[in-house]
Amino acid sequence: MNRRMMALGLAAAMAFPVAASATEAPVQPRIVVTGEGEATVAPDMAVLSLSVMREAQTAREALDANSAAMTDVIEAIKGLGVADRDLQTAGLQIMPRYNYTNKPDGSQQADLVAYQVINTLTVRVRDLAKTGELIDRAVSLGVNQGGSIVFTNDDPSATVTEARKNAVKEAMAKANVLAAAAGVSLGKVIEISDQSFAAQPMSIEAKAFDRVGAAPPIQAGENAYRVQVNMTFELK
């Protein structure tokens, strides 16, 4: 017989043995619970994704214009103290752009208008105080495509460990409550697994910075690291 119990919005299940034949070992009753834990820490690094797009009549012209603009952006970023190891090209796209017109027979005619080149740069900013100035300089020198920013930590292992401990505590507390309510006792842990979650990137629109005329205000806040733990206990 299987029974389902719910507690604190997280699922837990108790399994009890069914009749077994003489040749089959009885199924050990067990309980499965899920716990979540969180720990926070101030970020010490920002990761930016910045893109330069240039368009011209030929692919060669578009690439040359894009390369010149991106070179200026990279040199300005280095001038703000960003090391070579914290700069990485994340993508380079060269593509034609067409205008489509409808023809009387229902088909479409594609006319080549220009070529677009998009170069995307990933930047790790270790001095958070320079993040706004860096974005402002990059936009002034050629960044004109929306990107993303994420505040992270160079080594979040201690914070994740704290979150993991909190998740285990919640799972064990939940298991004790459910076992007591069912009139049984917890045995040993027979299985445990976990999954961690970090902050997701936030999109930024480079064109929006043009309206400000100064470095955009940047607030790093705190990073929350979450861990979900699944634990299986024997029941006595």
Side-chain angles (χ1 to χ4, degrees), residues 52-59 62-63 66 92-98 112-119 145:
V52 171
M53 189 275 285
R54 289 293 183 269
E55 185 175 276
Q57 291 299 310
T58 67
L63 181 60
N66 188 290
L92 180 64
Q93 295 177 294
I94 303 173
M95 50 194 164
R97 183 169 69 84
Y98 295 93
L112 179 63
V113 176
Y115 286 88
Q116 292 181 340
V117 175
I118 301 175
N119 192 343
Q145 291 283 96

Side-chain angles (χ1 to χ4, degrees), residues 200-216:
Q200 296 298 311
M202 299 176 290
S203 63
I204 55 176
E205 291 297 332
K207 292 181 180 179
F209 300 139
D210 293 336
R211 299 192 298 269
V212 178

Side-chain angles (χ1 to χ4, degrees), residues 183-219:
V184 294
S185 300
L186 290 181
K188 65 181 181 180
V189 177
I190 58 178
E191 186 175 355
I192 185 169
S193 63
D194 75 329
Q195 185 177 7
S196 59
F197 305 89
Q200 296 298 311
M202 299 176 290
S203 63
I204 55 176
E205 291 297 332
K207 292 181 180 179
F209 300 139
D210 293 336
R211 299 192 298 269
V212 178
I218 300 294
Q219 296 295 319

Side-chain angles (χ1 to χ4, degrees), residues 1-226:
M1 177 177 60
N2 293 323
R3 299 176 180 175
R4 295 283 179 182
M5 305 186 70
M6 303 294 294
L8 301 177
L10 295 169
M14 290 184 179
F16 293 88
V18 296
S21 65
T23 59
E24 294 179 343
V27 177
Q28 176 67 38
R30 60 187 61 187
I31 181 174
V32 181
V33 294
T34 299
E36 289 189 354
E38 181 178 287
T40 60
V41 64
D44 56 23
M45 183 168 60
V47 180
L48 304 176
S49 175
L50 304 171
S51 298
V52 171
M53 189 275 285
R54 289 293 183 269
E55 185 175 276
Q57 291 299 310
T58 67
R60 178 76 265 171
E61 292 172 333
L63 181 60
D64 288 345
N66 188 290
S67 298
M70 182 57 83
T71 297
D72 290 341
V73 170
I74 292 173
E75 291 304 314
I77 290 174
K78 289 181 179 180
L80 291 173
V82 178
D84 287 341
R85 68 188 179 100
D86 290 327
L87 297 171
Q88 185 176 48
T89 298
L92 180 64
Q93 295 177 294
I94 303 173
M95 50 194 164
R97 183 169 69 84
Y98 295 93
N99 272 348
Y100 294 91
T101 56
N102 294 322
K103 299 172 67 175
D105 62 1
S107 63
Q108 284 189 325
Q109 178 177 324
D111 297 312
L112 179 63
V113 176
Y115 286 88
Q116 292 181 340
V117 175
I118 301 175
N119 192 343
T120 301
L121 181 70
T122 298
V123 184
R124 289 192 293 267
V125 185
R126 299 180 188 274
D127 185 352
L128 294 182
K130 293 183 178 180
T131 304
E133 181 184 1
L134 189 151
I135 293 173
D136 179 64
R137 287 286 293 150
V139 170
S140 298
L141 291 170
V143 168
N144 58 354
Q145 291 283 96
S148 66
I149 180 172
V150 60
F151 292 100
T152 185
N153 296 90
D154 191 35
D155 183 11
S157 56
T159 308
V160 173
T161 295
E162 183 182 352
R164 186 173 286 116
K165 290 179 179 178
N166 292 337
V168 171
K169 287 179 183 177
E170 182 181 275
M172 294 186 69
K174 189 182 304 179
N176 277 297
V177 169
L178 292 173
V184 294
S185 300
L186 290 181
K188 65 181 181 180
V189 177
I190 58 178
E191 186 175 355
I192 185 169
S193 63
D194 75 329
Q195 185 177 7
S196 59
F197 305 89
Q200 296 298 311
M202 299 176 290
S203 63
I204 55 176
E205 291 297 332
K207 292 181 180 179
F209 300 139
D210 293 336
R211 299 192 298 269
V212 178
I218 300 294
Q219 296 295 319
E222 281 189 333
N223 281 341
Y225 292 88
R226 294 189 300 110

